[in-house]
Amino acid sequence: MKTTTESCFNLNTALKSILLLGFASFFLYTIFSGSVNMYVHPRNIPIIIFASAVMIIIAFLMLGGLFTISGKKIRSWSLLFYIIPLIMAFALPAKAFSSNDGSLGSVEFSGIDSKADSTPSQKTGQAADSGSSSDPGSSDNVSGGAKDSGLQIQDGVIKVTDSNFYQCVNEIYSNIDKYIGMKIECVGMVFKSDQYTNEEFAAARLMMVCCAADMVPVGFMCSYAQASELKTDSWKKVTGIIDQKQCDGNIVPYVKVLTVEDAEKPDNEYIYPY
């Protein structure tokens, strides 16, 4: 007597289709909710959309085999292990990094071009050579290269914004002497370390090169008499004068703070080198 298998339900195919649709749904959810920016660089969004579309197409193509079974015995229960990360992805909300996350390390007080091209294990670097001295704060030193460097200077004040934070930090670290004595204004998160004195903190932002795995804080060391009163991870608008000091054997810029004001947390807390 001939046995047919056309009417048998293929559990293995069903589970694979569900998993593909589940992961595709999660990826698309992060994009439409905006939480994708906490996981990957925005330039990766088109790739995620393409991958999600491919998974959806494959899932629907596999539905044609729901009621056919091959002669090969397959252990469908092994696919259940993939359900665990899928459930966790939906159940655990996306959370922004903070200074308490041990994987971040300390704020990088050095030129950051090397960070943009490095792997997560290469987050340390050397400060850029400070070069020869020049007239501190002279507008002639900065006006010619301000546009090329990405600096926004208004009434003699360097305005560090969300869109040019990376360019400003990199330019000032690379050419410290050109900006000594100039006034600077930036919004950043308060970072502190056991290595800082009671009058020091860092005004920094988290830089993402590719994804959350390579996150690194970059910014300016600040000198402020009331630094101990500032709450870690709070957002502040810092206004001060650029100077330089030695840090870990390197000459780096730091800000002699004039005023500190409360600031609103940006919609996107991260900055990107490109």
Side-chain angles (χ1 to χ4, degrees), residues 4-148:
T4 61
T5 58
E6 285 77 5
S7 61
C8 296
F9 182 73
N10 192 325
L11 179 61
N12 186 270
T13 298
L15 287 176
K16 288 180 178 178
S17 298
I18 291 173
L19 287 170
L20 285 170
L21 291 174
F23 280 108
S25 298
F26 171 72
F27 293 148
L28 294 176
Y29 166 76
T30 62
I31 292 173
F32 290 112
S33 67
S35 61
V36 67
N37 291 326
M38 296 186 182
Y39 298 105
V40 298
H41 192 296
R43 74 173 186 274
N44 292 322
I45 291 179
I47 300 175
I48 297 175
I49 294 175
F50 174 77
S52 299
V54 170
M55 284 190 285
I56 292 173
I57 292 173
I58 293 175
F60 278 103
L61 290 177
M62 292 179 67
L63 293 179
L66 276 180
F67 297 99
T68 59
I69 298 180
S70 64
K72 184 179 179 180
K73 186 177 181 180
I74 302 175
R75 296 180 178 180
S76 300
W77 61 265
S78 61
L79 294 174
L80 296 177
F81 288 103
Y82 293 96
I83 295 179
I84 297 175
L86 181 60
I87 293 175
M88 292 178 64
F90 280 105
L92 300 178
K95 181 182 178 182
F97 281 79
S98 70
S99 60
N100 293 324
D101 292 300
S103 60
L104 289 178
S106 59
V107 180
E108 293 288 350
F109 295 121
S110 61
I112 59 177
D113 266 345
S114 60
K115 313 298 182 303
D117 299 325
S118 65
T119 61
S121 62
Q122 297 172 322
K123 290 182 179 178
T124 58
Q126 298 297 321
D129 186 0
S130 60
S132 59
S133 61
S134 58
D135 184 16
S138 173
S139 59
D140 293 337
N141 293 332
V142 297
S143 58
K147 292 183 179 180
D148 295 335

Side-chain angles (χ1 to χ4, degrees), residues 86-274:
L86 181 60
I87 293 175
M88 292 178 64
F90 280 105
L92 300 178
K95 181 182 178 182
F97 281 79
S98 70
S99 60
N100 293 324
D101 292 300
S103 60
L104 289 178
S106 59
V107 180
E108 293 288 350
F109 295 121
S110 61
I112 59 177
D113 266 345
S114 60
K115 313 298 182 303
D117 299 325
S118 65
T119 61
S121 62
Q122 297 172 322
K123 290 182 179 178
T124 58
Q126 298 297 321
D129 186 0
S130 60
S132 59
S133 61
S134 58
D135 184 16
S138 173
S139 59
D140 293 337
N141 293 332
V142 297
S143 58
K147 292 183 179 180
D148 295 335
S149 64
L151 264 63
Q152 178 183 344
I153 302 176
Q154 297 179 358
D155 300 325
V157 181
I158 300 174
K159 304 282 187 177
V160 185
T161 65
D162 292 348
S163 60
N164 71 2
F165 196 99
Y166 166 82
Q167 290 83 358
C168 287
V169 172
N170 192 62
E171 167 64 17
I172 294 173
Y173 271 86
S174 299
N175 302 282
I176 303 175
D177 289 336
K178 289 172 58 177
Y179 304 102
I180 292 178
M182 287 197 67
K183 198 172 184 179
I184 187 171
E185 179 184 289
C186 71
V187 173
M189 188 189 300
V190 174
F191 278 74
K192 294 185 179 181
S193 169
D194 294 337
Q195 299 177 350
Y196 301 170
T197 68
N198 290 333
E199 296 185 354
E200 291 178 337
F201 73 96
R205 299 287 294 269
L206 296 175
M207 184 178 74
M208 180 190 292
V209 178
C210 178
C211 62
D214 58 34
M215 199 82 71
V216 59
V218 296
F220 297 102
M221 170 74 81
C222 297
S223 175
Y224 182 51
Q226 287 79 43
S228 60
E229 301 175 7
L230 301 179
K231 184 179 179 181
T232 301
D233 294 334
S234 61
W235 287 86
K236 300 294 181 181
K237 178 181 178 182
V238 176
T239 303
I241 305 298
I242 298 175
D243 205 335
Q244 65 180 4
K245 66 178 295 183
Q246 190 172 36
C247 180
D248 295 330
N250 298 312
I251 300 299
V252 300
Y254 83 104
V255 178
K256 295 189 291 186
V257 176
L258 300 175
T259 61
V260 174
E261 305 173 37
D262 292 335
E264 292 185 5
K265 182 172 66 173
D267 292 334
N268 188 353
E269 302 177 34
Y270 306 147
I271 59 171
Y272 310 97
Y274 43 79

